[in-house]
Amino acid sequence: MGGLVTGRSGELSAADRIDTTVAHPARRYNYLLGGKDNFAADRESGDALAAAMPTVRLAAVENRMFLQRAVRFLAQQGVRQFLDIGTGIPTADNTHEVAQAIDPTARVVYVDNDPIVLAHARALLSSTAEGHTAYLDADLREPEQILAHPDLRTTLDLSQPVALMLVAILHFIRDDEDPGGILARLVAALPAGSYVVASHVTWEFLPPAVIAKLEANNHDGRFRARSTEQFAGLLDGMELVDPGIVSVARWRADDAPQPRPSVQDVSFNGAVARIVR
């Protein structure tokens, strides 16, 4: 639902990399959220997912609300730096807006690979005068490139706590690409007292017939749903914040509209974990 990020020297320019004939996760997610920054291929892909799982739009909305609640919670805990990988196309209440509403000095680095995401981010996501935002074109599968990027280094102080946001992106990392290793390399660069905010699609609550339809739409094999146990394995060694790994619709959602959607309708796990040494 989020988007992978890519950027290597010698590749096509951002504008030349736009392929409107192929669905992109960030643009499809924008469509599912009711946005207008998408193309026919993205809408066709989103409609196919909705045909297989009619509540997929609800899942996208609940995932977005989870991100906002998690950012608000961490900002209230005193976290002032956020590294948001797999940003997606800007909507309302983006990471920096939520954080800077609590502390205008909050600093945010956004990372994504879709040139349209980056264009919108640079045009629409403006920081408070006291804070700062930056936007990177980099690859989650190459975390060292993200961490070494000069714009990250001038925006964030990696000696101070950082909230690493991996919301709706880890399920686009295949097992053979070692998502646990990627996460471990990012976490190793952050000090104790930092946090990881993550959400991940799970199909463990869905009927086999629905799973089969969803799998049929996974044409390139890029998408990898994982169970609660598998998701927990990615966060191994960190200290889960209460209530642990739960549906994104249930994570600290007492003030959200009631009743809350079922875990089957959302099929998204979410968690916030504290980095300890």
Side-chain angles (χ1 to χ4, degrees), residues 1 28-29 32-33 55-66 265-266 268:
M1 291 187 182
R28 181 177 57 215
Y29 190 45
L32 294 173
L33 288 171
T55 59
V56 68
R57 289 183 174 86
L58 172 66
V61 169
E62 288 294 334
N63 179 69
R64 184 71 183 177
M65 292 172 63
F66 161 75
D265 284 346
V266 175
F268 241 118

Side-chain angles (χ1 to χ4, degrees), residues 151-251:
D151 290 347
L152 182 144
R153 293 289 175 167
T154 58
T155 305
L156 304 181
D157 177 358
L158 298 188
S159 70
Q160 298 299 313
V162 175
L164 171 62
M165 313 288 297
L166 296 170
V167 176
I169 180 136
L170 289 169
H171 44 238
F172 291 108
I173 304 293
R174 299 190 309 262
D175 290 343
D176 64 292
E177 293 171 324
D178 191 17
I182 290 170
L183 181 53
R185 284 145 64 193
L186 288 166
V187 166
L190 305 179
S194 295
Y195 290 85
V196 172
V197 177
S199 65
H200 201 300
V201 167
T202 180
W203 290 344
E204 62 190 320
F205 306 113
L206 297 178
V210 173
I211 296 174
K213 291 178 182 178
L214 291 169
E215 288 282 17
N217 284 292
N218 188 21
H219 303 295
D220 60 2
R222 168 54 60 194
F223 191 87
R224 174 70 167 90
R226 292 183 174 93
S227 67
T228 301
E229 182 179 1
Q230 290 168 327
F231 182 38
L234 297 178
L235 302 174
D236 189 42
M238 290 177 255
E239 184 179 273
L240 289 170
V241 171
D242 185 66
I245 297 174
V246 295
S247 169
V248 293
R250 307 293 174 87
W251 194 89

Side-chain angles (χ1 to χ4, degrees), residues 112-181:
D112 208 293
N113 75 327
D114 186 348
I116 291 179
V117 170
L118 295 168
H120 278 277
R122 290 173 177 142
L124 300 177
L125 299 184
S126 57
S127 173
T128 60
E130 302 92 334
H132 192 66
T133 57
Y135 321 100
L136 311 185
D137 186 9
D139 193 324
L140 175 57
R141 292 164 295 184
E142 297 176 353
E144 288 79 12
Q145 289 194 6
I146 296 175
L147 295 166
H149 197 290
D151 290 347
L152 182 144
R153 293 289 175 167
T154 58
T155 305
L156 304 181
D157 177 358
L158 298 188
S159 70
Q160 298 299 313
V162 175
L164 171 62
M165 313 288 297
L166 296 170
V167 176
I169 180 136
L170 289 169
H171 44 238
F172 291 108
I173 304 293
R174 299 190 309 262
D175 290 343
D176 64 292
E177 293 171 324
D178 191 17

